[in-house]
């Protein structure tokens, strides 16, 4: 995947093997399906041992996003396929959700 890099001569694009998080972020971003979204994450303030702690970047369910405008530009995939992919990705998550969720194949035929 292309990454911005720089050296003594200036900035340039380098090609590197993709990391899991990079691919995950691309596939779960609504822009991939031609949508504009705002408010996908939130912050939460909690008090621990008498001190304020702010947890940022907490993902919100799609129904709680502030703005979701579909078909704002040409997407790589249609919105219906994007939603289907989100379900597959959620089901593949290890240790998340119910124990009976379908997940990625680990063993067997």
């Amino acid at each position: 995947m292309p990454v911005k890099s720089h050296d003594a001569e200036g900035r340039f694009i380098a090609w590197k093997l993709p990391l899991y998080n990079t691919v995950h972020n691309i596939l779960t971003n609504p822009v991939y399906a031609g949508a504009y979204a705002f408010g996908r994450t939130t912050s939460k303030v909690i008090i621990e041992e008498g001190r304020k702690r702010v947890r940022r970047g907490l993902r919100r369910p799609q129904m709680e996003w502030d703005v979701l405008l579909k078909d704002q530009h040409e997407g790589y995939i249609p919105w219906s396929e994007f939603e289907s992919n989100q379900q597959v990705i959620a089901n593949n998550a290890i240790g998340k959700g119910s124990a009976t969720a379908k997940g990625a194949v680990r063993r067997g035929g």
Side-chain angles (χ1 to χ4, degrees):
M1 297 200 73
V3 293
K4 288 187 283 185
S5 194
H6 64 281
D7 60 12
E9 297 178 19
R11 293 186 213 178
F12 63 95
I13 300 295
W15 290 87
K16 296 187 176 185
L17 291 174
L19 299 173
Y20 174 85
N21 285 341
T22 304
V23 174
H24 185 271
N25 289 339
I26 291 170
L27 295 177
T28 57
N29 193 323
V31 169
Y32 187 63
Y36 170 79
F38 178 80
R40 296 188 314 145
T41 61
T42 189
S43 298
K44 184 177 182 180
V45 177
I46 58 174
I47 305 296
E48 282 184 355
E49 300 174 8
R51 301 188 75 147
K52 178 176 93 167
R53 180 175 174 206
V54 180
R55 294 187 60 203
R56 292 180 173 84
L58 300 173
R59 294 191 179 183
R60 297 166 68 185
Q62 184 177 322
M63 296 301 294
E64 294 178 14
W65 294 354
D66 296 328
V67 178
L68 175 60
L69 303 174
K70 300 174 187 172
D71 300 321
Q72 292 300 295
H73 57 85
E74 187 176 348
Y76 291 99
I77 59 174
W79 184 257
S80 59
E81 187 175 342
F82 175 79
E83 288 182 320
S84 174
N85 289 349
Q86 300 316 296
Q87 188 61 49
V88 170
I89 290 169
N91 286 344
N92 286 345
I94 299 172
K96 303 227 177 180
S98 72
T100 60
K102 297 177 183 176
V105 176
R106 301 283 176 223
R107 295 185 200 144

